[in-house]
Amino acid sequence: SSSITDLLNALCSCSLSGVSWKRRALGGVSKESFHRALKKRAYGALLSKLFQDGTKGPASRQSATANTPARNKVLMMCFDLRVAGCREEAERLEELLEKLPEGESSGLKEVDAVLDLLVCLAGCAPPPFTSF
Amino acid sequence: MASAANANLNAVRETMDVLLEISMLLNTGLDMESLSICVRLCEQGINPEALSAVIKELRKASETLKVSENCTN
């Protein structure tokens, strides 16, 4: 298993896929220097979030959904999808949630944490390209 | 012993497939490679909310780079 630093490095590399470095090197931006800058921003975001969490009092930390189980948050998204008229997607999401094994049977230790992450990232990618 | 390890590997694979499809339906923008890294970071105890902030920050930075690349084309 890799360390957190190795994994963050890998995440930075992933986010640089698709960038052409040949021409960039001519412009003075090397892959290494940009990778270093990315790592700095990644650690900055991670640490600021951790410190924010540490400085908030117990009352302010409790947002409406802070204690909602991850699976319930996904079910709430299914509801939102239905309201938005995306019935098929909502049904598929519910099916997948039922299929998703809980606890040790999933082979993972933190399935609910991963679900929480997916909920935090929901809708933040650009919509898929559709041709006319 | 080996069959238990195989069973666990199959369970992980199935769970990852389900998580990837959920991720696609939720339009998170994660591919299998970055999802696997995120799963391992969560397993190491990284807070999911903090990790989502990291991913959004990395996206912002790499988008800026890609936009500047398009402008110079």
Side-chain angles (χ1 to χ4, degrees), chain A residues 66-113:
Chain A
N67 291 328
T68 309
R71 284 168 195 263
N72 290 8
K73 287 182 197 167
V74 178
L75 287 174
M76 285 155 80
M77 295 195 136
C78 292
F79 176 79
D80 289 342
L81 281 171
R82 275 211 172 77
V83 171
C86 307
R87 194 176 54 86
E88 276 179 31
E89 285 87 346
E91 278 173 8
R92 183 65 188 142
L93 200 51
E94 280 171 353
E95 262 175 51
L96 288 166
L97 204 58
E98 275 174 33
K99 243 172 90 176
L100 190 67
E102 285 183 64
E104 281 183 19
S105 60
S106 66
L108 300 176
K109 286 183 283 178
E110 299 290 345
V111 188
D112 284 355

Side-chain angles (χ1 to χ4, degrees), chain A residues 2 23 92 106 109 123, chain B residues 15 21 26 43-44 69 73:
Chain A
S2 310
R23 289 185 336 100
R92 183 65 188 142
S106 66
K109 286 183 283 178
Chain B
T15 305
E21 203 179 333
L26 293 180
E43 303 259 291
Q44 298 266 14
E69 187 176 60
N73 278 346

Side-chain angles (χ1 to χ4, degrees), chain A residues 45-57:
Chain A
L46 187 65
L47 295 175
S48 71
K49 200 78 196 163
L50 292 181
F51 286 124
Q52 258 177 30
D53 286 352
T55 52
K56 279 180 189 171

Side-chain angles (χ1 to χ4, degrees), chain B residues 7-34:
Chain B
N8 190 54
L9 199 65
N10 283 339
V12 171
R13 211 169 283 157
E14 276 171 33
T15 305
M16 286 303 294
D17 286 342
V18 175
L19 285 172
L20 182 65
E21 203 179 333
I22 291 177
S23 169
M24 278 158 36
L25 275 170
L26 293 180
N27 197 25
T28 64
L30 295 175
D31 57 12
M32 189 46 133
E33 193 185 355
S34 39

Side-chain angles (χ1 to χ4, degrees), chain B residues 1-69:
Chain B
M1 188 75 179
S3 67
N6 274 345
N8 190 54
L9 199 65
N10 283 339
V12 171
R13 211 169 283 157
E14 276 171 33
T15 305
M16 286 303 294
D17 286 342
V18 175
L19 285 172
L20 182 65
E21 203 179 333
I22 291 177
S23 169
M24 278 158 36
L25 275 170
L26 293 180
N27 197 25
T28 64
L30 295 175
D31 57 12
M32 189 46 133
E33 193 185 355
S34 39
L35 178 65
S36 315
I37 296 170
C38 290
V39 167
R40 288 159 74 192
L41 279 165
C42 287
E43 303 259 291
Q44 298 266 14
I46 296 285
N47 176 294
E49 215 181 309
L51 185 52
S52 80
V54 170
I55 291 167
K56 286 173 188 170
E57 192 63 31
L58 289 178
R59 275 189 194 153
K60 245 191 274 172
S62 57
E63 274 315 303
T64 313
L65 191 74
K66 284 170 190 168
V67 166
S68 73
E69 187 176 60

